[in-house]
Every structure is written in structure tokens, then in C-alpha cells.
């Protein structure tokens, strides 16, 4: 596997506001996150490119890749390590053709039908969820629970990361369901001490 999905931080501009995006990410990396995804549904491309470039500097030398949510042009122009897309976002084929060799591309999956339709040969990982209902994503799909997570993780030919309403106490259930890691927004971004919050996850 080219990426370590163990503890995958997805950022949210509002929840990161307290400490600031860059300090939150730096603290989370000290606390042990293994992947970082820049996600901002409202910023302009220009703003997001600037943020991505600053996060890349913070992540430099840490071995933690920077993934961009949804926006291929931001991933390309910032020189990020990868792109995460949802079912209605940028087509995976277009992203794979445009990104540099070795770029990490992930896709959100909520059902066996979506898994069957996914172009797994050109993906690196899939995000499975939401496991639970979550206020961090508007209009999210039907929650799959740990049972749905297990069905999808075990049917997946690709490494998977579970997401949606997850906290440190869920690490064991996520691992037992067969996912390769746990992805969170609010359990790290919204916390008073993001470093300690990240440290409290023990996935392996
Ligand atoms: C790797 N997604 C599904 S639930 C959710 C998001 C952003 C909210 C989680 O927040 N898989 C990956 N990246 C994504 N962006 C998604 C899926 C989509 P919280 O942890 O606060 O519940």
C-alpha cells in the first residue's frame, strides 16, 4: 500500500477556526495523523491553492501526504500529493490522467453498487461511510453502521478508511470491521487540544 490510512484527518474551515487551520494540522501531525485532506466547500480555488501550499510546507519532511478534496485544479496547481473525490465530484479517470504519476486518488463509497461501479484499477483507496450520521457533511448519504462498513470493507479490493461520526473509542470496531484506517473531522479539528485528540486514536 502506498499510503498509510491509519489516522486520516479531514479539515473543516469552521471547526479549525479556533486554533487556525495550519496550527491544527501541525498539532494533529505531532499527535500521529498519517494523512491530511484539505476540504473546504466554500473557499475559492485561489484561496484553497494558497492554503494547500502552506499546508504542504507544514507537512514537508513528515511523510504525511496532502490530499485535496474534490478540486482537481487545486490539487494540480498546489502540487498536492493526491485528490479525494465523492460520487458526484470530478471523474476519477480525468483526475488520474491529469495528476502526476504516483498521485494518490481516493473515492467515497456508501454502497455495494457504488463499489461495483468504482474504477478500482485506477484508485488507491476508498472512503467508506458515513458510518454514523454527522453534522460535518451536509446532505450525506444514509449511514452504514459497523455492519455496512464490514460488508463494504470486506468486499473491497482496495484499502479502505472509515468515516462519519467516528471518535477514538471506535478504533477497535473499525479495525474489526476490516477497514485499514479511521478518518475524522470533528474528533480532531473541533477539539481544544488537537494534538492530544489525535494521540488518543490508537488504530493499530
Ligand atoms: C476519506 N465524508 C463522508 S462523512 C464526512 C465526509 C467529509 C464527514 C466526517 O466528519 N472519505 C474521505 N474523505 C471524505 N471527504 C469523505 C469520505 C466524505 P466527522 O468526523 O466530524 O463526522
Amino acid at each position: 500500500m502506498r499510503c498509510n490510512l491509519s489516522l486520516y484527518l479531514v479539515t473543516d474551515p469552521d471547526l479549525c477556526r479556533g486554533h487556525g487551520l495550519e496550527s491544527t494540522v501541525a498539532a494533529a501531525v505531532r499527535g500521529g495523523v498519517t494523512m491530511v485532506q484539505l476540504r473546504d466547500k466554500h473557499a475559492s480555488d485561489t484561496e484553497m491553492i494558497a492554503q494547500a501550499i502552506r499546508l504542504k510546507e507544514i507537512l514537508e519532511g513528515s511523510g504525511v501526504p496532502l490530499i485535496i478534496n474534490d478540486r482537481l485544479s487545486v490539487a494540480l496547481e498546489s502540487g498536492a500529493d493526491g485528490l479525494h473525490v465523492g460520487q458526484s465530484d470530478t471523474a476519477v479517470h480525468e483526475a488520474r490522467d491529469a495528476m502526476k504519476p504516483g498521485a494518490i486518488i481516493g473515492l467515497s463509497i456508501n454502497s455495494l453498487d457504488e463499489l461495483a461501479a468504482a474504477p478500482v484499477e485506477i484508485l488507491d483507496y476508498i472512503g467508506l461511510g458515513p458510518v454514523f450520521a454527522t453534522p460535518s457533511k451536509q446532505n450525506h448519504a444514509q449511514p452504514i453502521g459497523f455492519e455496512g462498513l464490514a460488508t463494504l470493507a470486506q468486499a473491497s479490493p482496495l484499502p479502505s478508511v472509515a468515516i462519519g461520526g467516528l471518535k477514538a473509542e471506535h478504533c477497535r470496531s473499525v479495525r474489526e470491521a476490516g477497514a485499514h484506517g479511521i478518518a475524522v473531522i470533528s474528533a480532531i479539528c473541533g477539539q481544544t487540544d488537537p494534538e492530544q485528540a489525535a494521540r488518543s486514536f490508537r488504530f493499530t
Side-chain angles (χ1 to χ4, degrees), residues 8 37 39 69 84 108 127 134 136-137 161 163-165 184-186:
Y8 188 152
Q37 180 187 126
R39 178 178 184 269
N69 178 274
H84 183 90
S108 299
T134 171
S136 305
K137 182 174 167 66
V161 63
I163 187 166
V184 299
I185 297 181
S186 49

Side-chain angles (χ1 to χ4, degrees), residues 24-44:
T24 305
V25 168
V29 169
R30 287 195 301 276
V33 307
T34 57
M35 307 261 289
V36 172
Q37 180 187 126
L38 175 62
R39 178 178 184 269
D40 191 329
K41 293 293 182 191
H42 303 295
S44 68

